[in-house]
Amino acid sequence: MPDLAGTAVAARFRDVTVDFLCQDPGDAAHLRYYLSDHLEPQDASRQPEVSVRLETDGGGSFTAALGTATTKRVWWRTPAAPWRLYEEWGTRARLPSPVPPFGLSPLRDLVRTGHGAALAAPDGSAHALAVTGSSGAGKSVVLVHLLRVGWRFVSDDLLVTDRRTHGRLYYYGRPVGVRERSLPLLPWLDAALLADAPRVPTRWGDTWMVRPQRLGRCAPADQPLQLAWRLHLVRGDRFTARTEGRASRVTWDPQRHLHDVLDVCRRLTGEGDAHDA
């Protein structure tokens, strides 16, 4: 059973209250930045529906230990249950991240997640575009360009959909990962927009974690959206685009084919006009 001492960060996801317990104050500060759109006021009288405990051997920073051989443990519990070990690992975790805890009960009964980015149509309708592809395919580059022309942020890197209602998509306000190698494709991202954004090393090079509000408008956090269009990206030297209905599969090189992909988005979505879902 974990030591309960530490700093708590309270958050809410799909009306489920969650407390994250951190040994290291720096981890709590990191979570407050990362989950700033979902934070709840601290209330000693409130009992969270899920508690998640992040710890390392020796009591050091969990965030700093990621990607190292230091042993890390994640524990979780619901009010009626004892603490349970979610995962213990050294260099590489096998299970999905518990931040946010969409894979833990009761959230896992409400939503399912996928790898991708999402934006809401610029006309204010409740229709959304999902941008999918493997890591490094260029999803965040497309997302940032569409934000610049009026689309509204829904999520980056994680698609959150309703487990019971087909095609219903939810806002998840995590930061947008802007990789150093992508900066030449985003010339308007000056130092002011990147200021104070955490800069973390990844296998794709240094990445800034930028709050989406710095890059454009955000969809309302409490408004479900209907997933109306899909754009799937694949890295390749030769540009190809295959569209079937409201879905397109594109092979591209972000350095050479950015305008071609943005044209595919305009044709696919009808310039963001509302469509029946």
Side-chain angles (χ1 to χ4, degrees):
M1 180 179 294
D3 177 5
L4 297 184
T7 304
V9 176
R12 181 183 293 270
F13 307 95
R14 305 308 317 147
D15 294 326
V16 174
T17 54
V18 182
D19 271 5
F20 296 95
L21 304 176
C22 306
Q23 292 174 301
D24 186 87
D27 291 332
H30 174 80
L31 283 175
R32 290 190 187 100
Y33 176 85
Y34 197 82
L35 301 174
S36 62
D37 287 356
H38 304 278
L39 294 181
E40 286 278 290
Q42 291 289 349
D43 183 353
S45 66
R46 174 186 62 80
Q47 186 172 39
E49 293 166 82
V50 186
S51 295
V52 177
R53 166 77 176 175
L54 309 175
E55 67 178 32
T56 64
D57 276 359
S61 168
F62 188 92
T63 305
L66 293 174
T68 74
T70 299
T71 299
K72 295 162 283 290
R73 299 180 191 88
V74 175
W75 301 80
W76 75 287
R77 64 167 295 175
T78 54
W83 285 97
R84 286 168 279 183
L85 181 65
Y86 177 72
E87 186 174 16
E88 177 179 337
W89 75 98
T91 303
R92 189 177 182 87
R94 297 179 303 276
L95 299 178
S97 171
V99 182
F102 291 133
L104 302 178
S105 179
L107 280 163
R108 67 185 176 198
D109 302 320
L110 302 176
V111 301
R112 66 177 76 244
T113 60
H115 183 53
L119 303 104
D123 59 7
S125 70
H127 294 81
L129 165 71
V131 184
T132 60
S134 62
S135 294
K139 299 182 297 295
S140 294
V141 170
V142 171
L143 178 142
V144 174
H145 273 277
L146 292 178
L147 288 176
R148 186 167 169 80
V149 296
W151 285 75
R152 296 168 296 148
F153 176 87
V154 176
S155 63
D156 182 45
D157 203 49
L158 195 66
L159 298 171
V160 183
T161 57
D162 194 293
R163 187 169 286 278
R164 297 162 296 184
T165 305
H166 177 72
R168 179 175 288 181
L169 184 71
Y170 295 116
Y171 179 87
Y172 172 48
R174 60 154 281 173
V176 177
V178 178
R179 297 187 174 115
E180 188 169 25
R181 73 177 191 179
S182 299
L183 292 179
L185 300 172
L186 309 167
W188 64 88
L189 283 185
D190 58 19
L193 285 172
L194 297 178
D196 302 325
R199 186 174 179 175
V200 297
T202 70
R203 66 190 179 102
W204 303 103
D206 284 353
T207 299
W208 283 267
M209 303 308 296
V210 184
R211 296 300 311 154
Q213 292 84 352
R214 289 190 175 188
L215 302 172
R217 296 184 301 155
C218 293
D222 58 351
Q223 176 187 339
L225 301 159
Q226 187 65 33
L227 187 53
W229 311 283
R230 293 181 180 269
L231 176 70
H232 185 74
L233 301 175
V234 178
R235 291 292 292 265
D237 294 331
R238 182 180 178 183
F239 178 80
T240 62
R242 186 174 73 249
T243 299
E244 296 180 5
R246 295 175 185 155
S248 282
R249 178 183 175 89
V250 170
T251 301
W252 74 315
D253 178 341
Q255 302 291 335
R256 293 186 290 156
H257 305 133
L258 178 60
H259 293 296
D260 296 311
V261 169
L262 296 178
D263 283 341
V264 170
C265 291
R266 284 189 283 269
R267 293 195 300 270
L268 178 66
T269 64
E271 297 288 348
D273 291 340
H275 286 62
D276 292 333

